[in-house]
Amino acid sequence: MLAFGKKPLSDLTEREVLALAIANEEEDSRIYQEFADVAAEGFPASAEMFRAMAEEEREHRARLFELFRSRFGENLPPIRREDVRGFMSRRPVWLTRNLSPEAMREEAALMEIQAANFYDKAASQALDTRVRELFLHLAEVERGHRKKADALEGEHLTPEHLADEAATRHRQFVLTYVQPGLAGLIDGSVSTLAPLFAAAFATQSNWETFLVGLAASVGAGISMGITEAMSDDGIISGRGPPVVRGIVCGLMTCLGGLGHTLPYLVPSSWPNGFWIATTLAGIIVAIELVAISWIRTKYMDTPFLRSVFQVVVGGVLVLLAGIVIGGS
């Protein structure tokens, strides 16, 4: 989905940028404090690290608000990171109860990358020297969190918890390839069902059905690829190059649609050719939906049975819509 209604950071006034920084620091401090509370019982070293990070974020907020008050007064404009293009939404705090300490550290590392990138970008457009210097300082502090966390982990945590480099690579792989690819696969596998099966039952012609499915798959691939590339430049979110994400999303969308389109290359002249193609297409749809569920389970921490239920229900509804419309 395109980020309609969202402003790019470059369009914000200095007052708005400062207010956004204050809101970011306040929200991040609450998230780190929640991480600390969750980890306190079994992982005291991680809890101490998160408590220190939460306190530091609160100090950052105080410094930013002091600077804001001196320049613009007491009233903060109501701007949030959700209002600005390029920011990724934070995981709802109540979901952190289900995260392992490793997952919390990965989440914190991603938050630090985004914060540092934001301050770098904000500093480049700040006109006031004090504001620019503070933003640059905060960018370095955010990057320094990673070094502090590494030192603490090396001192207190077991070797199994020290695969930070591998975790970072994995996190970047998920952000750049898995998430866009999964979004494309879901869209291609589900959204093309209705036009494909509507054409199949309306025409009873395998070749015409194949052409409809091919057009729907290629069109959806182009649309989703452009949407993904335009939705986030990756500068603040750290999700990687938009062109790469767009290509991955577009290709997976096209692949998802072509999977159940290709069976309609079976000639209609074959005995029961239409039903052979339709049966094969149905089997491939089932395989696609299970594959989507497995990917969501492996990379998105979604319980497999819940994922299967959600994906299958959506896919079946779209499939039935196509059959009913095509057969009417």
Side-chain angles (χ1 to χ4, degrees):
M1 181 181 293
L2 289 173
F4 292 118
K6 293 188 175 185
K7 273 188 172 183
L9 185 63
S10 58
D11 285 357
L12 300 184
T13 65
E14 197 163 73
R15 178 173 179 263
E16 290 173 327
V17 172
L18 265 173
L20 178 61
I22 292 168
N24 290 347
E25 295 292 345
E26 182 170 351
E27 183 177 356
D28 286 354
S29 70
R30 293 176 179 176
I31 294 174
Y32 290 142
Q33 188 60 56
E34 182 68 11
F35 285 172
D37 294 343
V38 171
E41 182 175 350
F43 301 91
S46 292
E48 183 60 33
M49 178 184 72
F50 288 129
R51 271 193 293 269
M53 292 171 69
E55 180 60 31
E56 193 161 16
E57 299 299 279
R58 286 190 284 266
E59 292 174 3
H60 293 170
R61 184 198 181 283
R63 292 182 62 185
L64 286 164
F65 188 65
E66 181 181 352
L67 181 57
F68 181 93
R69 184 190 292 116
S70 69
R71 297 204 60 212
F72 303 109
E74 296 286 339
N75 298 322
L76 292 168
I79 187 168
R80 307 160 301 167
R81 71 176 98 224
E82 291 85 356
D83 303 324
V84 180
R85 189 179 305 156
F87 277 102
M88 288 181 64
S89 298
R90 295 287 191 243
R91 190 192 300 261
V93 172
W94 54 85
L95 293 182
T96 60
R97 293 283 172 185
N98 300 320
L99 294 180
S100 66
E102 293 86 351
M104 285 188 284
R105 288 197 296 275
E106 288 186 8
E107 189 91 358
L110 179 59
M111 290 167 61
E112 292 156 15
I113 291 171
Q114 291 186 37
N117 290 344
F118 163 69
Y119 285 125
D120 280 336
K121 188 72 173 177
S124 69
Q125 64 186 62
L127 300 178
D128 187 276
T129 303
R130 293 178 300 165
V131 175
R132 183 166 57 251
E133 289 179 351
L134 179 56
F135 282 160
L136 290 173
H137 171 70
L138 292 177
E140 291 304 314
V141 170
E142 294 294 343
R143 293 191 177 93
H145 282 164
R146 183 67 265 162
K147 296 178 181 178
K148 291 182 180 179
D150 286 343
L152 187 60
E153 290 174 7
E155 181 178 354
H156 295 286
L157 301 179
T158 62
E160 289 78 8
H161 298 152
L162 298 179
D164 183 65
E165 185 175 341
T168 300
R169 287 197 301 268
H170 174 74
R171 180 174 59 252
Q172 195 65 56
F173 173 76
V174 170
L175 290 174
T176 305
Y177 297 99
V178 176
Q179 286 184 349
L182 181 61
L185 185 60
I186 292 173
D187 186 83
S189 298
V190 176
S191 68
T192 58
L193 291 177
L196 180 76
F197 284 94
F201 282 88
T203 66
Q204 300 280 306
S205 168
N206 286 2
W207 178 246
E208 292 182 9
T209 300
F210 171 77
L211 292 178
V212 170
L214 180 63
S217 301
V218 173
I222 294 172
S223 175
M224 285 291 289
I226 293 174
T227 298
E228 175 62 34
M230 292 178 63
S231 64
D232 176 11
D233 59 15
I235 294 175
I236 296 176
S237 66
R239 296 180 65 211
V243 173
V244 173
R245 299 193 332 268
I247 291 173
V248 170
C249 185
L251 288 177
M252 292 304 293
T253 304
C254 188
L255 179 63
L258 287 177
H260 45 260
T261 297
L262 291 176
Y264 285 96
L265 286 175
V266 172
S268 297
S269 58
W270 286 13
N272 296 315
F274 171 75
W275 289 109
I276 291 174
T278 301
T279 301
L280 288 174
I283 293 172
I284 291 174
V285 168
I287 294 173
E288 290 170 345
L289 297 181
V290 171
I292 290 170
S293 301
W294 179 84
I295 293 171
R296 292 185 70 203
T297 299
K298 181 174 177 61
Y299 292 102
M300 307 301 174
D301 298 324
T302 305
F304 183 72
L305 292 180
R306 185 202 305 171
S307 181
V308 168
F309 177 78
Q310 293 170 341
V311 173
V312 169
V313 167
V316 169
L317 290 176
V318 176
L319 175 63
L320 291 177
I323 293 174
V324 169
I325 293 171
S328 61

